[in-house]
Amino acid sequence: MQRPHAIHVYKFGGASVKDAEAITNLVRIAREYGRDTQLLIVVSAMGKTTNALEELFHLAHSGQEYAPQLAALRDFHLGVAAELLPHDWQNAEPHSLGSLLEQLGDRLATLTPGDYDRQYDQVVSFGELLATVIVAKALGAHWLDCRPLLRTDHTWREGRMDWPTTERNVRAAVPPLLQRGPVVTQGFLGGTASGQTTTLGREGSDFTAAIFAYCLHAEAVTIWKDVAGLLNADPKFFADTVRYPEISYQETIEMAYYGASVIHPKTIKPLAVKQIPLYVKSFLDPAAEGTRIGDCRHALLAPAFIRKTGQCLISFESKDLTFISEENLEVIFGALAQVRLKIHLMQNSAISFSVCTDFSAYRLEKLLALLRDQFTIHYNTGLELYTIKNYDAPSIRRLTDGRELLLEQRTRQTFQFICRGSANEYIK
């Protein structure tokens, strides 16, 4: 049972705000399930807006024509806004929809060569700003710019939190607003001490909800998804999925680390520190039970199947056929960190070392430039990484039968393998 007037944090992702009908549903959920609470709502960019902004940024940064894409993005947001409310959305207020769209156009027009990641953050962040302006007006809530509150360093595209400053900022600014009614703010975004926008990593809105909950000592966080709760697999690609009614912080952290798409990997730790439960519920069926994530014990869970697409397998061999030593690994790890390629799996033999990372042509080329003089480097792209958490023999057979495995690895509880992409294959 919730305590009257306790602080609750809701997070709504892109699918839950993809159009006017979806935002109307969000408003209904907030009013029905968030009543009698002080409600902070964290909102992601609408639908596929982040992807559209990434395309816009790439075109503008590389000097290509982008006007049609910008016009489509503008028309989409103005169309959704007009469908929801009869207001004039193009007034001159600093954070009106029209003003934000003008700011986006100005930002794209003034991009300069180089400085890719910093400029990326300044452009792609507009998705959350635009979405929250629309949602706040539809709900009649206070619109809050999170960027002056959530302080990060200058690690563009994956800002690292300054927790003491952030907590001071949030605790000073947010409680007075919550006492007057619901507050809507952005996921995914932060800001530096100099006022530049940072992002917290793709799908980072879950983490934003946890940051606010931690700072405000919230009673609970609820992430509203298009699935029935935390499932053992993505139902878009796996048949016969199972919902976990309750699961521990520790188990969830491991699943998120391996790439489970429901929860951002950084979300759990701040909640676990303050013992704040996390609920995963369906915005399509808000009355359903969902999943509770907290400090709990449970029996061995059903195997979890996690699929990561767009992977790259990179292998390094010493050019003089000497063993892969600690000194070699230090050089390789340093270069991977420098170009910001994260390792999802690694394995070594006597004279080679292999890693699986997300594929980025831009970052891979930088890595090759750093290491090609010292190592012979081979790589394969278009791969998929599968992880089975709490595996058993039938679950391994289910995924590996009929596949050519390029690399496999197992621990006591986890089995992983890399194979060639299968074009959105549905696994029965």
Side-chain angles (χ1 to χ4, degrees), residues 119-138:
Q119 294 184 97
Y120 170 99
D121 279 0
Q122 313 315 304
V123 169
V124 173
S125 55
F126 275 90
E128 277 67 22
L129 298 171
L130 294 166
T132 50
V133 165
I134 295 174
V135 171
K137 286 205 173 187

PDB file of all heavy atoms in Angstrom, residues 119-138:
ATOM      1  N   GLN A 119      28.944  17.569 -30.096  1.00  0.00           N
ATOM      2  CA  GLN A 119      27.869  18.144 -30.907  1.00  0.00           C
ATOM      3  C   GLN A 119      26.690  17.181 -31.038  1.00  0.00           C
ATOM      4  O   GLN A 119      25.533  17.619 -31.107  1.00  0.00           O
ATOM      5  CB  GLN A 119      28.416  18.528 -32.280  1.00  0.00           C
ATOM      6  CG  GLN A 119      29.445  19.652 -32.208  1.00  0.00           C
ATOM      7  CD  GLN A 119      29.904  20.101 -33.579  1.00  0.00           C
ATOM      8  OE1 GLN A 119      29.398  21.083 -34.119  1.00  0.00           O
ATOM      9  NE2 GLN A 119      30.861  19.385 -34.156  1.00  0.00           N
ATOM     10  N   TYR A 120      26.968  15.891 -31.034  1.00  0.00           N
ATOM     11  CA  TYR A 120      25.891  14.887 -31.041  1.00  0.00           C
ATOM     12  C   TYR A 120      24.946  15.118 -29.866  1.00  0.00           C
ATOM     13  O   TYR A 120      23.715  15.146 -30.024  1.00  0.00           O
ATOM     14  CB  TYR A 120      26.510  13.489 -30.974  1.00  0.00           C
ATOM     15  CG  TYR A 120      25.534  12.347 -30.744  1.00  0.00           C
ATOM     16  CD1 TYR A 120      25.093  11.573 -31.812  1.00  0.00           C
ATOM     17  CD2 TYR A 120      25.086  12.029 -29.471  1.00  0.00           C
ATOM     18  CE1 TYR A 120      24.210  10.513 -31.609  1.00  0.00           C
ATOM     19  CE2 TYR A 120      24.201  10.980 -29.252  1.00  0.00           C
ATOM     20  CZ  TYR A 120      23.767  10.223 -30.321  1.00  0.00           C
ATOM     21  OH  TYR A 120      22.890   9.194 -30.106  1.00  0.00           O
ATOM     22  N   ASP A 121      25.496  15.290 -28.683  1.00  0.00           N
ATOM     23  CA  ASP A 121      24.665  15.477 -27.496  1.00  0.00           C
ATOM     24  C   ASP A 121      23.803  16.729 -27.597  1.00  0.00           C
ATOM     25  O   ASP A 121      22.649  16.736 -27.145  1.00  0.00           O
ATOM     26  CB  ASP A 121      25.536  15.554 -26.245  1.00  0.00           C
ATOM     27  CG  ASP A 121      25.962  14.186 -25.733  1.00  0.00           C
ATOM     28  OD1 ASP A 121      25.579  13.177 -26.346  1.00  0.00           O
ATOM     29  OD2 ASP A 121      26.678  14.128 -24.712  1.00  0.00           O
ATOM     30  N   GLN A 122      24.340  17.799 -28.173  1.00  0.00           N
ATOM     31  CA  GLN A 122      23.586  19.048 -28.255  1.00  0.00           C
ATOM     32  C   GLN A 122      22.391  18.923 -29.202  1.00  0.00           C
ATOM     33  O   GLN A 122      21.382  19.614 -29.027  1.00  0.00           O
ATOM     34  CB  GLN A 122      24.490  20.204 -28.713  1.00  0.00           C
ATOM     35  CG  GLN A 122      25.834  20.312 -28.012  1.00  0.00           C
ATOM     36  CD  GLN A 122      25.771  20.144 -26.503  1.00  0.00           C
ATOM     37  OE1 GLN A 122      25.039  20.872 -25.830  1.00  0.00           O
ATOM     38  NE2 GLN A 122      26.525  19.190 -25.976  1.00  0.00           N
ATOM     39  N   VAL A 123      22.475  18.031 -30.191  1.00  0.00           N
ATOM     40  CA  VAL A 123      21.392  17.863 -31.166  1.00  0.00           C
ATOM     41  C   VAL A 123      20.398  16.786 -30.734  1.00  0.00           C
ATOM     42  O   VAL A 123      19.184  17.020 -30.692  1.00  0.00           O
ATOM     43  CB  VAL A 123      21.973  17.528 -32.564  1.00  0.00           C
ATOM     44  CG1 VAL A 123      20.865  17.093 -33.522  1.00  0.00           C
ATOM     45  CG2 VAL A 123      22.729  18.723 -33.116  1.00  0.00           C
ATOM     46  N   VAL A 124      20.904  15.617 -30.392  1.00  0.00           N
ATOM     47  CA  VAL A 124      20.014  14.485 -30.129  1.00  0.00           C
ATOM     48  C   VAL A 124      19.165  14.720 -28.877  1.00  0.00           C
ATOM     49  O   VAL A 124      18.064  14.174 -28.750  1.00  0.00           O
ATOM     50  CB  VAL A 124      20.846  13.179 -30.027  1.00  0.00           C
ATOM     51  CG1 VAL A 124      19.999  12.005 -29.577  1.00  0.00           C
ATOM     52  CG2 VAL A 124      21.473  12.872 -31.384  1.00  0.00           C
ATOM     53  N   SER A 125      19.622  15.561 -27.978  1.00  0.00           N
ATOM     54  CA  SER A 125      18.874  15.864 -26.756  1.00  0.00           C
ATOM     55  C   SER A 125      17.530  16.527 -27.025  1.00  0.00           C
ATOM     56  O   SER A 125      16.650  16.533 -26.146  1.00  0.00           O
ATOM     57  CB  SER A 125      19.716  16.772 -25.861  1.00  0.00           C
ATOM     58  OG  SER A 125      20.129  17.937 -26.556  1.00  0.00           O
ATOM     59  N   PHE A 126      17.320  17.088 -28.197  1.00  0.00           N
ATOM     60  CA  PHE A 126      16.058  17.766 -28.485  1.00  0.00           C
ATOM     61  C   PHE A 126      14.866  16.799 -28.486  1.00  0.00           C
ATOM     62  O   PHE A 126      13.726  17.238 -28.300  1.00  0.00           O
ATOM     63  CB  PHE A 126      16.137  18.518 -29.820  1.00  0.00           C
ATOM     64  CG  PHE A 126      16.740  19.886 -29.692  1.00  0.00           C
ATOM     65  CD1 PHE A 126      18.109  20.065 -29.820  1.00  0.00           C
ATOM     66  CD2 PHE A 126      15.945  20.992 -29.424  1.00  0.00           C
ATOM     67  CE1 PHE A 126      18.678  21.320 -29.699  1.00  0.00           C
ATOM     68  CE2 PHE A 126      16.503  22.247 -29.290  1.00  0.00           C
ATOM     69  CZ  PHE A 126      17.878  22.422 -29.428  1.00  0.00           C
ATOM     70  N   GLY A 127      15.088  15.524 -28.697  1.00  0.00           N
ATOM     71  CA  GLY A 127      13.970  14.578 -28.692  1.00  0.00           C
ATOM     72  C   GLY A 127      13.221  14.588 -27.377  1.00  0.00           C
ATOM     73  O   GLY A 127      11.980  14.656 -27.330  1.00  0.00           O
ATOM     74  N   GLU A 128      13.969  14.535 -26.270  1.00  0.00           N
ATOM     75  CA  GLU A 128      13.348  14.539 -24.945  1.00  0.00           C
ATOM     76  C   GLU A 128      12.737  15.893 -24.607  1.00  0.00           C
ATOM     77  O   GLU A 128      11.676  15.976 -23.979  1.00  0.00           O
ATOM     78  CB  GLU A 128      14.373  14.141 -23.887  1.00  0.00           C
ATOM     79  CG  GLU A 128      14.582  12.658 -23.716  1.00  0.00           C
ATOM     80  CD  GLU A 128      15.227  11.983 -24.922  1.00  0.00           C
ATOM     81  OE1 GLU A 128      15.886  12.685 -25.730  1.00  0.00           O
ATOM     82  OE2 GLU A 128      15.078  10.760 -25.064  1.00  0.00           O
ATOM     83  N   LEU A 129      13.390  16.973 -25.019  1.00  0.00           N
ATOM     84  CA  LEU A 129      12.855  18.307 -24.748  1.00  0.00           C
ATOM     85  C   LEU A 129      11.509  18.503 -25.446  1.00  0.00           C
ATOM     86  O   LEU A 129      10.541  18.991 -24.841  1.00  0.00           O
ATOM     87  CB  LEU A 129      13.855  19.374 -25.203  1.00  0.00           C
ATOM     88  CG  LEU A 129      15.214  19.366 -24.495  1.00  0.00           C
ATOM     89  CD1 LEU A 129      16.181  20.322 -25.188  1.00  0.00           C
ATOM     90  CD2 LEU A 129      15.068  19.747 -23.028  1.00  0.00           C
ATOM     91  N   LEU A 130      11.420  18.115 -26.706  1.00  0.00           N
ATOM     92  CA  LEU A 130      10.171  18.262 -27.458  1.00  0.00           C
ATOM     93  C   LEU A 130       9.061  17.396 -26.865  1.00  0.00           C
ATOM     94  O   LEU A 130       7.921  17.848 -26.683  1.00  0.00           O
ATOM     95  CB  LEU A 130      10.403  17.890 -28.922  1.00  0.00           C
ATOM     96  CG  LEU A 130      11.339  18.815 -29.722  1.00  0.00           C
ATOM     97  CD1 LEU A 130      11.741  18.154 -31.028  1.00  0.00           C
ATOM     98  CD2 LEU A 130      10.680  20.170 -29.971  1.00  0.00           C
ATOM     99  N   ALA A 131       9.388  16.137 -26.542  1.00  0.00           N
ATOM    100  CA  ALA A 131       8.370  15.224 -26.010  1.00  0.00           C
ATOM    101  C   ALA A 131       7.812  15.712 -24.688  1.00  0.00           C
ATOM    102  O   ALA A 131       6.598  15.664 -24.444  1.00  0.00           O
ATOM    103  CB  ALA A 131       8.973  13.823 -25.848  1.00  0.00           C
ATOM    104  N   THR A 132       8.687  16.202 -23.812  1.00  0.00           N
ATOM    105  CA  THR A 132       8.216  16.593 -22.483  1.00  0.00           C
ATOM    106  C   THR A 132       7.373  17.864 -22.517  1.00  0.00           C
ATOM    107  O   THR A 132       6.460  18.023 -21.698  1.00  0.00           O
ATOM    108  CB  THR A 132       9.398  16.770 -21.505  1.00  0.00           C
ATOM    109  OG1 THR A 132      10.400  17.615 -22.095  1.00  0.00           O
ATOM    110  CG2 THR A 132      10.000  15.424 -21.151  1.00  0.00           C
ATOM    111  N   VAL A 133       7.644  18.776 -23.441  1.00  0.00           N
ATOM    112  CA  VAL A 133       6.791  19.958 -23.583  1.00  0.00           C
ATOM    113  C   VAL A 133       5.368  19.531 -23.938  1.00  0.00           C
ATOM    114  O   VAL A 133       4.386  20.024 -23.364  1.00  0.00           O
ATOM    115  CB  VAL A 133       7.363  20.910 -24.648  1.00  0.00           C
ATOM    116  CG1 VAL A 133       6.326  21.944 -25.075  1.00  0.00           C
ATOM    117  CG2 VAL A 133       8.597  21.621 -24.113  1.00  0.00           C
ATOM    118  N   ILE A 134       5.237  18.584 -24.857  1.00  0.00           N
ATOM    119  CA  ILE A 134       3.910  18.116 -25.271  1.00  0.00           C
ATOM    120  C   ILE A 134       3.213  17.382 -24.124  1.00  0.00           C
ATOM    121  O   ILE A 134       2.044  17.636 -23.818  1.00  0.00           O
ATOM    122  CB  ILE A 134       4.031  17.206 -26.509  1.00  0.00           C
ATOM    123  CG1 ILE A 134       4.553  18.012 -27.698  1.00  0.00           C
ATOM    124  CG2 ILE A 134       2.680  16.576 -26.848  1.00  0.00           C
ATOM    125  CD1 ILE A 134       4.858  17.186 -28.932  1.00  0.00           C
ATOM    126  N   VAL A 135       3.925  16.465 -23.477  1.00  0.00           N
ATOM    127  CA  VAL A 135       3.316  15.678 -22.402  1.00  0.00           C
ATOM    128  C   VAL A 135       2.913  16.565 -21.233  1.00  0.00           C
ATOM    129  O   VAL A 135       1.826  16.417 -20.653  1.00  0.00           O
ATOM    130  CB  VAL A 135       4.273  14.562 -21.938  1.00  0.00           C
ATOM    131  CG1 VAL A 135       3.743  13.892 -20.670  1.00  0.00           C
ATOM    132  CG2 VAL A 135       4.463  13.531 -23.040  1.00  0.00           C
ATOM    133  N   ALA A 136       3.769  17.514 -20.864  1.00  0.00           N
ATOM    134  CA  ALA A 136       3.457  18.389 -19.732  1.00  0.00           C
ATOM    135  C   ALA A 136       2.192  19.197 -19.994  1.00  0.00           C
ATOM    136  O   ALA A 136       1.335  19.338 -19.104  1.00  0.00           O
ATOM    137  CB  ALA A 136       4.636  19.320 -19.451  1.00  0.00           C
ATOM    138  N   LYS A 137       2.034  19.713 -21.210  1.00  0.00           N
ATOM    139  CA  LYS A 137       0.827  20.486 -21.518  1.00  0.00           C
ATOM    140  C   LYS A 137      -0.400  19.585 -21.560  1.00  0.00           C
ATOM    141  O   LYS A 137      -1.484  19.978 -21.097  1.00  0.00           O
ATOM    142  CB  LYS A 137       1.008  21.227 -22.838  1.00  0.00           C
ATOM    143  CG  LYS A 137       1.941  22.428 -22.740  1.00  0.00           C
ATOM    144  CD  LYS A 137       1.646  23.459 -23.806  1.00  0.00           C
ATOM    145  CE  LYS A 137       2.473  24.709 -23.579  1.00  0.00           C
ATOM    146  NZ  LYS A 137       2.098  25.818 -24.489  1.00  0.00           N
ATOM    147  N   ALA A 138      -0.261  18.392 -22.111  1.00  0.00           N
ATOM    148  CA  ALA A 138      -1.400  17.479 -22.176  1.00  0.00           C
ATOM    149  C   ALA A 138      -1.872  17.077 -20.785  1.00  0.00           C
ATOM    150  O   ALA A 138      -3.069  16.908 -20.543  1.00  0.00           O
ATOM    151  CB  ALA A 138      -1.034  16.240 -22.994  1.00  0.00           C
TER     152      ALA A 138
END
